[in-house]
Amino acid sequence: MVDVTEQRQAREKLEQTVSLLRATFDSITDGVLVVSKEQRLTAYNKRFQQLWEFPDDALQGAPDTQKSLEIALAQVKDPERFSARIREMYSDPDMEGVDIVELRNGRVFERTSMPQRLGSTIIGRIWSYRDITEERRAREKLERAASVLRATFDSIGDGVIVVDTNQRLTAYNKRFQQLWGLPDDVLLVNMDVTKAVTAAAPLVKDPERFITRLHEMFVVSDQVYVDTVEFLDGRILERTSLPQRLGSTIIGRVWSYRDVTEERHAKAEQERLFAAEQNAREQMEESFALLDTFLNNAPIGLGFLGRDLRFIRTNDALAALHGKTREEEVGRELREMTPYAASTIEPLMRRVMETGEPVIGLDMALEVPATPGQLRYWRVSYYPVRMKSGKVVGVGAVVVELTQERLAQVERERLLREAHEAIRIRDDFLSIASHELKTPLTPIKLHLQRLEQRCAAGQPVPPQLAQKALTQVERLTGVISDMLDSSQIEAGLLELERERLSLQELIREVLADFRPRSLHHPLEYEEYGEELVVQGDRGRLQQVLTNLLENARKYSPQKGPIRVALTGKGAEAIVSVADSGIGIPADQQAHLFERFFRARNAPVSGFGGLGLGLYISRHLVERHGGRIWVESETGQGATFRFTLPVED
Ligand code: ADP
């Protein structure tokens, strides 16, 4: 009897171990296939069967690997490579290797092949397959996501760099490299940031500040910083620094640099332009204010009109002429503002704009709304208004009023004429006065000589001789007393001696006195029925009537009749003396009663006279409260009338 207890115990132990191994073998997640040196299937586990989807009995009783290979080859994507790898592995028993097997159904296995050893002897080969489909997919997905992120990271316009809390560079993008001018092959990752900063500092304008700022920012904090970095080459980068987080932990800091050079330049340019525009506007406003001051205080009318002949600017003086205010006028058409003159002015302005030539100093006489009914005189000039380019954009009007000058000139001319007239009258007067004074002297002298001769010869002296001399003396006296009266009137010294007197009586006396001297002119008198009594100076009133009678006789060389009439009308007596002589031209009648005036149809050679009689008569009549006037036509005789207030 053999004690098999130990044997049995050993076998049981072995069985236990085998079953443990078997269970372990079947429970591992890799599919394992063990092949002997002779290429016979030694073992495989459940997972292997599952992975390759072998039917349960497929490998049962299959001593070689052929069948399993066939089943596998039918499933792999690249059977060639699959077999080649197997051959390669078997060619060298020591060889170990890992490769990837892709199946047609999309699954991916990681295949590990290693020698099976018993002690130091190689007794076979172990093939293990791990299904890495999910892992692979996850990795691919991750890689894709990472590549998208990377691409995004590299494609963004900002240069980004990430630094961990140990101040080591963890990532940066292409744009960062470009911005800092780093060659593609320079690897910054893992570099100490202090080194990188020191290397970059010379590129910027203020390196010291740049380094200090960066160090400030390296402090782990929640802080977000934004500032700008100016480069020596003129670029300006806007830098943003913010914490990098993983969940709620800060694991580093992200810096992003944005090139804002263009933006800043554009902004600066915009600000410059804005300032320039502002400046230009202020200057323009200043110029306009200045212009307005000049415009509005100018004593002349000034206005600017656009090509459409609307007022762009006008001053108070011009607007006032049109009867408008400046505000009313601006923006309105010339035609609307000056309807009375537009037909004259518009064509001129259009011509100025078309030819570019000014119209200067045009004289106009116009009635304007500001002063209706008054003709005023203007000198106007129109100038083309040009842009710097030379383009005519409108017309400027300058209107100077000449009315005052014109009136002054008219007045001056009138005064000059009067002065000439006065000189002429004085000269006439001198020559007439000399003539009038001298004329009686010659016959007086003759008469006196004849008287002397007769006396010397003891002959009798005929009274007519003395009478003739006396007549001439009277004529001389008349001339001299007219001159005296005239100067007394001028000096305001002529006195009147008034008394109650009957006009009928007075006229009769004068006519009786005059009749002998007017033998050649029939004298008619029409008396008034009622007694007309006046308060007057007898001698002076006789002088008035005598003067009218003498003129009627003197200026009637054809010796027509002289008609005297007296009438009463209300409180007035009217005395008239009419003749049928040379008459008086209409335009001379108004001046007839002026001192020294003589009508042009009464030359002194033909008629004599100083032009004082009517002047003295008017003065005397008016001093008596009456009026004197004439009605006449050239060649049709003249009727002089004067009135005197009568007493009840
Ligand atoms: P004179 O001494 O020249 O007559 P007057 O003052 O009496 O001066 O008259 C002024 C002028 O009036 C005269 O020179 C004459 O031209 C005109 N005149 C006066 N009376 C008559 C008249 N009856 N008929 C025409 N002209 C007259």
Side-chain angles (χ1 to χ4, degrees):
M1 202 159 153
V2 183
D3 187 354
V4 292
T5 316
E6 269 186 27
Q7 263 181 3
R8 198 166 168 177
Q9 277 176 344
R11 203 181 64 235
E12 276 177 3
K13 207 173 171 187
L14 198 68
E15 274 172 5
Q16 261 175 16
T17 310
V18 168
S19 109
L20 194 71
L21 281 175
R22 181 82 233 169
T24 311
F25 191 46
D26 279 341
S27 69
I28 59 172
T29 51
D30 291 357
V32 180
L33 176 76
V34 186
V35 180
S36 75
K37 247 178 139 180
E38 296 76 29
Q39 303 262 330
R40 297 180 77 85
L41 260 178
T42 316
Y44 61 91
N45 67 356
K46 281 224 175 77
R47 182 65 180 148
F48 177 80
Q49 219 180 329
Q50 270 173 9
L51 283 178
W52 288 104
E53 292 175 355
F54 288 149
D56 271 354
D57 56 350
L59 299 174
Q60 220 99 73
D64 57 31
T65 56
Q66 197 52 41
K67 189 150 187 214
S68 64
L69 187 62
E70 275 168 22
I71 296 174
L73 280 175
Q75 294 183 48
V76 300
K77 253 192 194 167
D78 188 348
E80 264 311 295
R81 240 193 95 243
F82 187 79
S83 319
R85 179 71 176 171
I86 292 171
R87 277 196 304 277
E88 190 190 344
M89 285 296 160
Y90 285 127
S91 68
D92 178 358
D94 268 332
M95 195 183 281
E96 287 186 13
V98 180
D99 74 332
I100 301 293
V101 177
E102 288 183 44
L103 269 61
R104 285 202 192 140
N105 62 7
R107 286 193 299 150
V108 182
F109 296 160
E110 187 183 74
R111 171 167 67 178
T112 310
S113 179
M114 62 176 73
Q116 183 193 14
R117 292 174 204 274
L118 192 60
S120 59
T121 319
I122 294 172
I123 57 163
R125 179 160 283 279
I126 302 169
W127 297 89
S128 68
Y129 290 88
R130 176 173 296 173
D131 188 344
I132 57 163
T133 314
E134 287 308 315
E135 191 188 322
R136 177 81 178 253
R137 274 188 196 144
R139 205 180 68 229
E140 273 177 11
K141 207 167 150 191
L142 206 65
E143 272 170 9
R144 261 203 306 278
S147 99
V148 169
L149 281 178
R150 182 76 230 175
T152 312
F153 192 45
D154 281 342
S155 69
I156 55 174
D158 291 359
V160 179
I161 186 162
V162 187
V163 179
D164 67 13
T165 46
N166 297 321
Q167 305 203 354
R168 296 217 158 256
L169 298 178
T170 41
Y172 59 91
N173 68 354
K174 283 229 172 69
R175 181 71 178 136
F176 176 82
Q177 256 179 310
Q178 279 170 5
L179 285 177
W180 287 92
L182 301 170
D184 277 352
D185 50 357
V186 172
L187 266 186
L188 295 176
V189 170
N190 238 359
M191 193 185 197
D192 184 344
V193 83
T194 327
K195 260 198 221 161
V197 167
T198 320
L203 291 174
V204 307
K205 262 192 188 163
D206 187 349
E208 249 173 65
R209 195 177 151 267
F210 174 72
I211 295 170
T212 334
R213 278 296 280 152
L214 277 173
H215 284 301
E216 278 167 26
M217 294 178 193
F218 285 142
V219 178
V220 177
S221 78
D222 259 353
Q223 211 64 48
V224 174
Y225 303 98
V226 181
D227 66 350
T228 49
V229 180
E230 288 189 37
F231 279 58
L232 285 173
D233 62 11
R235 284 181 303 146
I236 303 167
L237 301 191
E238 187 180 79
R239 169 170 60 185
T240 310
S241 166
L242 45 123
Q244 182 196 10
R245 290 172 200 278
L246 193 60
S248 58
T249 321
I250 295 177
I251 58 159
R253 187 155 268 278
V254 181
W255 269 274
S256 67
Y257 289 88
R258 174 172 298 177
D259 189 342
V260 292
T261 319
E262 288 299 311
E263 208 175 290
R264 291 291 163 98
H265 284 174
K267 201 172 157 205
E269 179 64 8
Q270 201 181 17
E271 277 167 8
R272 197 187 62 74
L273 286 177
F274 183 74
E277 194 189 302
Q278 184 86 1
N279 193 21
R281 194 180 311 125
E282 272 170 21
Q283 273 183 7
M284 204 167 78
E285 274 168 15
E286 198 182 302
S287 313
F288 274 140
L290 212 70
L291 188 70
D292 275 346
T293 311
F294 282 127
L295 278 182
N296 292 326
N297 294 305
I300 54 178
L302 295 169
F304 297 115
L305 297 97
R307 290 201 72 92
D308 55 358
L309 294 188
R310 280 179 190 276
F311 281 96
I312 292 172
R313 254 184 152 71
T314 177
N315 71 349
D316 291 335
L318 188 65
L321 278 186
H322 303 153
K324 308 277 178 202
T325 64
R326 249 187 306 149
E327 290 71 24
E328 278 174 333
E329 200 148 77
V330 170
R332 310 280 279 280
E333 280 186 342
L334 174 77
R335 176 164 289 278
E336 197 186 339
M337 296 296 102
T338 60
Y340 44 87
S343 56
T344 317
I345 301 172
E346 272 190 6
L348 288 170
M349 287 188 166
R350 287 195 201 288
R351 202 178 79 204
V352 167
M353 286 191 288
E354 272 160 30
T355 61
E357 295 292 327
V359 169
I360 299 172
L362 199 78
D363 284 341
M364 283 188 183
L366 274 181
E367 223 181 84
V368 291
T371 46
Q374 186 193 336
L375 192 63
R376 289 164 68 175
Y377 299 87
W378 318 93
R379 179 156 298 163
V380 296
S381 300
Y382 302 122
Y383 298 90
V385 179
R386 292 176 196 278
M387 301 283 279
K388 268 193 184 149
S389 64
K391 190 179 164 214
V392 177
V393 290
V395 59
V398 180
V399 180
V400 183
E401 176 153 23
L402 300 177
T403 310
Q404 290 304 325
E405 286 82 345
R406 190 62 189 254
L407 293 180
Q409 192 188 347
V410 169
E411 180 65 8
R412 270 199 306 278
E413 283 168 2
R414 192 185 65 78
L415 290 173
L416 193 68
R417 265 201 317 278
E418 279 185 9
H420 282 149
E421 185 64 9
I423 292 167
R424 189 187 64 74
I425 288 171
R426 187 200 62 191
D427 292 348
D428 281 1
F429 171 74
L430 276 177
S431 76
I432 295 167
S434 328
H435 178 263
E436 288 296 297
L437 292 173
K438 197 161 173 270
T439 310
L441 285 180
T442 313
I444 289 172
K445 196 176 169 191
L446 267 174
H447 296 318
L448 290 177
Q449 279 170 348
R450 280 168 66 192
L451 274 175
E452 188 192 29
Q453 283 164 5
R454 281 188 173 260
C455 283
Q459 291 174 343
V461 179
Q464 309 94 289
L465 208 58
Q467 189 58 49
K468 279 181 183 166
L470 278 174
T471 308
Q472 294 305 328
V473 170
E474 258 171 45
R475 187 175 164 190
L476 206 55
T477 313
V479 171
I480 291 169
S481 58
D482 271 0
M483 286 167 75
L484 276 174
D485 283 350
S486 157
S487 56
Q488 269 194 315
I489 290 169
E490 285 298 300
L493 296 173
L494 191 101
E495 300 279 335
L496 293 184
E497 282 174 29
R498 293 172 193 269
E499 59 181 305
R500 256 180 72 87
L501 46 90
S502 150
L503 268 181
Q504 276 93 342
E505 204 177 294
L506 184 129
I507 293 170
R508 262 184 253 126
E509 278 168 20
V510 172
L511 289 180
D513 195 33
F514 182 70
R515 207 174 293 277
R517 285 184 271 150
S518 124
L519 297 175
H520 306 295
H521 295 79
L523 194 60
E524 296 167 17
Y525 174 44
E526 196 180 318
E527 197 164 61
Y528 191 57
E530 283 171 40
E531 175 100 273
L532 294 170
V533 177
V534 297
Q535 269 290 338
D537 184 318
R538 182 178 294 272
R540 291 299 185 183
L541 289 179
Q542 282 177 342
Q543 185 183 343
V544 171
L545 188 55
T546 306
N547 182 37
L548 294 181
L549 289 168
E550 298 235 304
N551 279 348
R553 181 174 57 88
K554 186 159 77 175
Y555 297 107
S556 303
Q558 303 298 322
K559 308 192 185 346
I562 298 170
R563 289 181 290 275
V564 180
L566 171 67
T567 52
K569 199 173 180 193
E572 282 184 333
I574 306 171
V575 183
S576 66
V577 178
D579 63 57
S580 51
I582 61 171
I584 303 146
D587 64 314
Q588 308 266 286
Q589 291 174 15
H591 304 285
L592 225 50
F593 300 92
E594 289 167 13
R595 200 154 74 120
F596 305 131
F597 186 87
R598 296 179 50 84
R600 66 169 168 271
N601 64 338
V604 71
S605 54
F607 297 97
L610 284 174
L612 286 176
L614 287 180
Y615 165 71
I616 297 167
S617 298
R618 189 196 71 189
H619 180 83
L620 293 175
V621 168
E622 287 175 358
R623 285 282 297 276
H624 278 88
R627 294 168 287 125
I628 183 165
W629 70 96
V630 64
E631 288 153 21
S632 176
E633 264 179 60
T634 313
Q636 301 295 310
T639 302
F640 283 84
R641 292 180 215 277
F642 68 91
T643 65
L644 288 172
V646 290
E647 296 207 327
D648 297 334

